[in-house]
Amino acid sequence: MERPSIDPSLEYALRRVEENIAEACARAGRDRDDVRLLAVTKTVDADRVNQVIALGVKQIGENRVQEFLGKKDALDLANVRAHLIGHLQTNKVRQIVGQVDMIESVDSERLAQAISRVSVERGIVTPILVEVNIGGEEAKSGVAPDQLEGLLEKIHDLPGIKVRGMMTVPPILTKESKKRAIFSKMYQLFVDNRAKKLDNIDMLELSMGMSGDYVEAILEGSTIVRVGSAIFGARQY
Ligand SMILES: *Cc1c(COP(=O)(O)O)cnc(C)c1O
């Protein structure tokens, strides 16, 4: 694909985010390579997505199956991994399996089974993360922390999926100490479940942190930060 012409303000915003990630890693005594930036591209047009890819972004995240499939052909994804990060309905599973490199938002046995079934049919194994509702908010998707272990036990040996870790969208908090406390709780859950070493589960990835809190998330052990508006600007719906 042709190299897109780069909007300098987009480049500036991306560099700022990358600097903040590097600083947070240094502050936490973590290796910079332990944390991956996933640029969240929902509502962003393909040309701007291709600009951040040209600037070196290696992972993108989309929320909606329809939106992603609608722009996928226009994206330069040759060296880029795409993750589905939004709530997935079982009736969309057929459309998305095989189209993304990871599904981060698996929060029920039924959904895991559907993804596994379609993946087996297509001869692939789909990497997934289990989404946890760490803040216990009613309107949010994700499995409750006390249901996580039960869900992992039910899905870990499904043949068409591979559990690679956990993801969360925590409540929006303003105080740094509160943000860190909730990420720390999530990290503890991650470590506890990693220690159980269930077959077919590689607890490698902890996807947490968005534009308003990715620094705190890195300080508390995140391995994937999902950053949208801090790179692309406020979303216009
Ligand atoms: C939109 C979205 C993000 C990115 O949000 P920003 O605040 O714009 O960084 C991250 N994760 C999920 C699941 C999202 O839906």
Side-chain angles (χ1 to χ4, degrees), residues 40 42 63 85-86 167 169 210-212 226-230 235:
V40 175
K42 64 182 178 222
N63 281 62
I85 60 174
M167 179 271 228
V169 183
M210 317 197 331
S211 290
R226 309 179 308 267
V227 181
S229 47
R235 279 181 289 277

Side-chain angles (χ1 to χ4, degrees), residues 59-106:
Q59 302 195 95
I60 64 161
E62 281 277 343
N63 281 62
R64 290 157 153 251
V65 171
Q66 244 60 39
E67 183 188 341
F68 175 63
L69 297 180
K71 64 189 178 194
K72 189 178 182 220
D73 286 346
L75 299 178
D76 189 6
L77 294 179
N79 299 305
V80 173
R81 304 175 64 78
H83 291 193
L84 185 76
I85 60 174
H87 181 67
L88 175 61
Q89 291 164 294
T90 23
N91 64 6
K92 299 267 171 65
V93 165
R94 274 196 181 278
Q95 295 171 55
I96 198 68
V97 163
Q99 301 291 323
V100 285
D101 299 288
M102 181 180 277
I103 298 175
E104 294 201 9
S105 42
V106 177

Side-chain angles (χ1 to χ4, degrees), residues 14-26:
L14 177 64
R15 296 296 173 233
R16 281 304 309 268
V17 169
E18 283 170 345
E19 277 166 31
N20 291 339
I21 292 173
E23 259 175 49
C25 287

